[in-house]
Amino acid sequence: MSSSLPPADASIDRRMIFLLALTCGVAVGNIYFPQAVSPLVASGLDVAPNSAALVVTAAQFGYAAGNFLLVPLGDRFPHRPLVVAMLAVTGAAMLGAAGAPGLGALVAASAVAGVTTVVAQVIAPMAAGLVAAERRGAVMGTLLAGSIGGILLARTFGGLAGEWLGWRAPYLIAAAATLAIAVALAFALPATDPPSRQSYPALLAAPLRLLREEPELRRSCLYQATVFGGFQAVWTGLALYLTGPEYGFGAQAVAVLALVSAGTMAATPAAGRQVDRRGPDPVSLVAITGTIAAAGVLALGALGGAPGLAALGAGTLLLEIAMQSGMIANQARIFALRPDARSRINTAYMTCAFLGGSTGSWLGAGACTRFGWTAVCALVALLACVALARHLLRRPDRADHLGNAEAKAPSRS
């Protein structure tokens, strides 16, 4: 079958890249603002903080399920109706969460929203197919910067709006933003033809087959699952730590601390350019070692007071930069493997990443409540050391320049 991918750079310009980055931010923000809201949910629904953290975990596991169940459809259906439909369902789920009468209903609505708010993972492979290979790292960095902006603003507005207006307000605002962006994309997204005519069961089986066949995909999945697991452990535990007896802050503290990580928005496009110039592996190594360093800095948050807060701010900034830089390197590596199956490859990658993130979120909440903040930091370092060991044991091969090599290779069809 001949590839029906659109010609590179034929359907995308800077304005469209900006809109896609905004969409990524709106979508990804839906699974991150609950991290700042969970202490308010605990008090508002009169449940234990550990139980309220299940809202965060449910959204993360839902996101992992959405990556497996829905992202492969990006290789089977035109992107515009697929993305708009997913955003519409997400908006409806957010409205359901805002009106949830109890924790069980809220957890269920959060899981549904997590499943359908995976549009960023449909957009990323779509955009990768619409730009030339030499621009791919920079474009992925721009899209990821949009996602980072969504993460930062989501935590900030979630904490502030929840503190001022109650925990239901962030869900209502998220629903309105998601539905608005769905309407905009219904008119603005370029028309694309699906590169595959495979059945849905075949599409679901493809990520597992690709994981078996592509060692570089397995390696990238391990990197992101471990680093992202540590990242999620920190932010889930941080909300409990800052609002607990050690610091005694409100939800606004999480919102303010999230703004410290705004520097990541400038760092990730630079990481994308480094991937274009040097290949993904050097950037992956920096990301993994940066995560280990971040764990050490974050551990100093146990000092308390101003020194502790400074350490938490510096550590979260370093951790965000490391995690997002690693994401760019990993996606550049995997998108160069099978140009005709990018959505299915991204499915395998993001499912593994968010299974790691969901597990990290759950472990982080348990570690913080049972053993304290230092245990969370030790968990982050341990997970990153697993990735570092795998990186050091890799075989020297084409991986170092895989992101650039695709420009010279014919597409597999």
Side-chain angles (χ1 to χ4, degrees):
M1 179 181 70
S2 63
S3 174
S4 57
L5 292 171
D9 289 325
S11 304
I12 194 167
D13 56 19
R14 288 188 177 183
R15 287 179 297 179
M16 180 54 61
I17 292 173
F18 172 80
L19 179 58
L20 294 178
L22 178 63
T23 303
C24 292
V26 170
V28 172
N30 289 330
I31 60 169
Y32 284 97
F33 77 80
Q35 291 176 331
V37 175
S38 69
L40 301 174
V41 171
S43 58
L45 295 180
D46 194 24
V47 297
N50 240 6
S51 298
L54 290 175
V55 176
V56 179
T57 302
Q60 297 289 334
F61 273 115
Y63 201 84
N67 273 285
F68 181 74
L69 296 172
L70 299 183
V71 172
L73 296 178
D75 284 339
R76 180 65 179 81
F77 295 104
H79 292 99
R80 180 163 55 199
L82 178 62
V83 168
V84 171
M86 290 166 63
L87 287 171
V89 175
T90 300
M94 286 292 170
L95 290 174
L103 181 62
L106 178 58
V107 169
S110 297
V112 172
V115 169
T116 55
T117 197
V118 294
V119 294
Q121 309 315 322
V122 176
I123 287 172
M126 179 194 74
L130 291 174
V131 298
E134 62 269 16
R135 289 185 59 210
R136 191 163 295 136
V139 171
M140 292 299 103
T142 301
L143 295 182
L144 192 52
S147 296
I148 294 167
I151 294 169
L152 297 176
L153 293 177
R155 293 196 190 111
T156 301
F157 108 81
L160 295 178
E163 193 75 32
W164 295 338
L165 303 173
W167 69 265
R168 298 180 190 273
Y171 286 96
L172 287 172
I173 297 170
T178 301
L179 294 173
I181 202 72
V183 172
L185 289 176
F187 295 96
L189 270 184
T192 57
D193 293 324
S196 174
R197 297 294 181 185
Q198 292 185 8
S199 66
Y200 183 60
L203 288 174
L204 290 183
L208 299 177
R209 176 175 55 79
L210 289 166
L211 275 171
R212 185 178 67 251
E213 295 175 352
E214 298 287 353
E216 291 301 283
L217 175 59
R218 294 196 299 271
R219 183 160 68 96
S220 298
C221 288
L222 176 65
Y223 289 172
Q224 197 63 20
T226 51
V227 172
F228 191 55
F231 175 83
Q232 289 296 86
V234 165
W235 279 102
T236 301
L238 196 59
L240 301 174
Y241 187 53
L242 288 177
T243 58
E246 292 83 356
Y247 281 93
F249 292 138
Q252 307 103 310
V254 181
V256 172
L257 190 62
L259 289 177
V260 174
S261 300
T264 321
M265 295 182 68
T268 48
R273 290 190 292 271
Q274 289 301 310
V275 170
D276 288 337
R277 293 171 185 168
R278 302 175 184 274
D281 270 14
V283 177
S284 288
L285 179 58
V286 171
I288 294 167
T289 55
T291 300
I292 297 172
V297 176
L298 285 166
L300 298 177
L303 295 173
L309 285 175
L312 292 176
T316 53
L317 175 60
L318 179 57
L319 182 63
E320 292 251 11
I321 292 174
M323 192 276 291
Q324 303 291 4
S325 298
M327 173 76 84
I328 295 171
N330 290 329
Q331 286 190 312
R333 185 185 296 112
I334 65 173
F335 287 158
L337 295 172
R338 301 280 185 95
D340 62 319
R342 288 192 176 103
S343 286
R344 284 160 283 175
I345 281 179
N346 206 39
T347 292
Y349 172 72
M350 293 305 301
T351 299
C352 292
F354 273 86
L355 283 175
S358 304
T359 303
S361 177
W362 176 69
L363 291 174
C368 191
T369 55
R370 294 181 184 180
F371 305 109
W373 178 246
T374 304
V376 177
C377 300
L379 174 63
V380 175
L382 176 62
L383 290 171
C385 283
V386 172
L388 180 61
R390 175 64 183 87
H391 186 86
L392 295 177
L393 293 173
R394 78 192 191 284
R395 294 178 180 179
D397 55 19
R398 66 191 181 105
D400 288 340
H401 299 286
L402 192 57
N404 292 328
E406 189 220 340
K408 303 176 182 178
S411 172
R412 299 187 200 179
S413 303

